[in-house]
Every structure is written in C-alpha cells, then in structure tokens.
Amino acid sequence: MAGTTLKTEAVVLRSIRYAEADRILHLYSATKGRIGAIAKGARRPKSRFGGRLEPFFRLNLVLHEGRGELLTVTGVSTVDGYPRLRASGAALDAGARACDAVLRLLDTTEPNPPAYNLLCRYLSMLDDPAAERGTSLATALSFRLKLALAAGFAPELAACASCGEADHLTGFSGAAGGVVCAGCEAGSFPLSEEAHAFMVTAVGSPLAEAPEAEERALRQVERAVSETLEHHAHVQLRAAA
Ligand SMILES: [Zn+2]
C-alpha cells in the first residue's frame, strides 16, 4: 500500500457514522493538529476498534496516509476513556462544548501542544468526581480563555486595546480585541471590574485553579471571549454552558 504511516496521540472530537459500517472521525492530535480519518468496519460487532472511536476518547492511533483527504485508522489503543465523564450529563455537555470549541477554533494541521494539553486536562477534570467545579461556568470560561490564548487570539487585558491607556478600563470591544478605556468605548459593552479581574486571573492560572465570579460577571466574560473570536478568528462558538 502506497503512502506513509503516522503514529500520534489524539482526542476524538466528533465521530460520524458513514456508509454501512464505517466511522469518520474528527481528531485533535498532539503532533499534527486537526486530522480527519476513516475507520473502516468500525461499527461491525466484532470490530477490532471496539467502542473506542467515540467523542472524548484519548487514543494512541496508527494512521495510514494515502492520497485521499482522510487518513485511514489502522491501529488504536486507549490512553483514557474518561468513563466517569460519560456517566454524568453535566460533564458530557461541558465536554461536548469544549470539543466543539476546539473543532471551530483549531482547524489546521499545525501542532499546538498547549491547546492539546489543555483539552486533555479539561476532560480529566470532567472525569474526576472530586473536582466539583469541573462542570461550572467559571471553569468552562477559563478553558475558553486559555484555548483562545493557545490559538493566538487572547484578548488584550492589560491596557486599552485602542489607545494603550492603562486606567479607566470600563468597557470591552471585540473589534478592538480587548478592554477599552472610557474615551474609546464606542462599540464596546460595559465590563465590570470583577469580569476583568476574572479574565486576568484565569489566563494566568492552571485550569484546575480557575477563579470564581458572579454569574453576571461571567456572562460578560463569555461575551468578551465570543466577540473577540468572532472579530479576529471569524469563529462563532456555542454558549459556554
Ligand atoms: Zn482608549
């Protein structure tokens, strides 16, 4: 068989039934960014792939790269199946939103280890029943902010994104790409100190130490991240929770 063999670790973002017994996989890999692959015969009862080719599975994959756009899965073993995540409706929902954000924001074959590791850490948190805050809106937004940072679309938080002024930062402008001062607030929406502080802390902390904030502030954060990504990455994300 012509072509090359690729071995990589990857997370299944989406798994689609295809033809009689196949699956098409949208994968986010540690070493090749986004990969599209086909697993032939994966839906047959005695498939050697077993039930692993489902969303959220973290896998070691052997893939054959031929002439087509899709790679062919030739070998697979499980790194982590996150069984407790699968047993919780809230965790499944949070995981699905996270995978959807990765699908929309990271669509190239450029490897992005910070983004890959962030996704794996979040799935581990959602799989840990002791991590009560895993499914919280604050953690979902911390994930989203850190993902934007990893993808190169972090909002400007230190000074006015329009004029550089360091004080009186009272608004947020997606078009400007960050916080804005009172003099540059045209086209912005009001951003509370609490929402601003949340973003600064979330970007600088590990995901497991995501800060807390009131729901109202968190919704401002969500809007700030969404508008930044719409303007600068041309990506629209689903609601964070
Ligand atoms: Zn300004």
Side-chain angles (χ1 to χ4, degrees):
M1 201 156 52
T4 55
T5 295
L6 166 69
K7 289 183 185 183
T8 187
E9 199 187 288
V11 171
V12 180
L13 301 177
R14 191 181 283 169
S15 177
I16 302 160
R17 290 161 179 242
Y18 181 75
E20 254 175 56
D22 305 343
R23 279 194 175 281
I24 287 180
L25 305 172
H26 294 244
L27 303 163
Y28 195 65
S29 74
T31 58
K32 291 275 178 184
R34 266 285 280 293
I35 293 173
I38 184 162
K40 289 179 180 156
R43 282 158 50 225
R44 294 213 172 89
K46 286 182 180 169
S47 164
R48 64 205 159 101
F49 300 130
R52 297 181 185 91
L53 304 181
E54 298 287 340
F56 317 126
F57 265 90
R58 182 176 174 181
L59 305 169
N60 269 317
L61 288 158
V62 184
L63 300 153
H64 179 262
E65 198 167 6
R67 277 177 309 212
E69 206 171 296
L70 294 173
L71 280 67
T72 303
V73 180
T74 56
V76 56
S77 64
T78 304
V79 177
D80 203 330
Y82 306 111
R84 290 168 300 259
L85 182 163
R86 278 161 211 289
S88 154
L92 277 171
D93 186 55
R97 287 171 201 269
C99 286
D100 188 67
V102 172
L103 261 173
R104 291 177 199 231
L105 197 53
L106 294 152
D107 58 357
T108 72
T109 55
E110 199 67 34
N112 190 326
Y116 183 75
N117 293 333
L118 178 68
L119 176 62
C120 292
R121 273 199 299 276
Y122 191 35
L123 294 175
S124 293
M125 273 180 79
L126 293 173
D127 191 52
D128 178 2
E132 281 173 24
R133 295 181 55 229
T135 56
S136 72
L137 176 60
T139 304
L141 288 170
S142 289
F143 170 80
R144 205 164 264 204
L145 263 167
K146 294 167 88 66
L147 190 69
L149 176 71
F153 298 106
E156 170 62 55
L157 299 173
C160 175
S162 291
C163 75
E165 164 74 47
D167 297 315
H168 311 294
L169 303 169
T170 53
F172 190 96
S173 162
V179 292
V180 290
C181 72
C184 299
E185 67 186 2
S188 72
F189 65 88
L191 188 80
S192 66
E193 268 180 51
E194 190 185 9
H196 188 183
F198 176 93
M199 288 197 280
V200 171
T201 309
V203 164
S205 311
L207 188 64
E209 291 160 30
E212 291 278 11
E214 297 284 333
E215 166 99 17
R216 199 170 141 269
L218 292 175
R219 290 300 174 189
Q220 290 179 353
V221 171
E222 178 171 20
R223 185 172 171 189
V225 178
S226 298
E227 291 191 6
T228 300
L229 294 177
E230 277 169 31
H231 277 276
H232 299 281
H234 308 289
V235 161
Q236 271 192 314
L237 299 185
R238 292 165 59 191

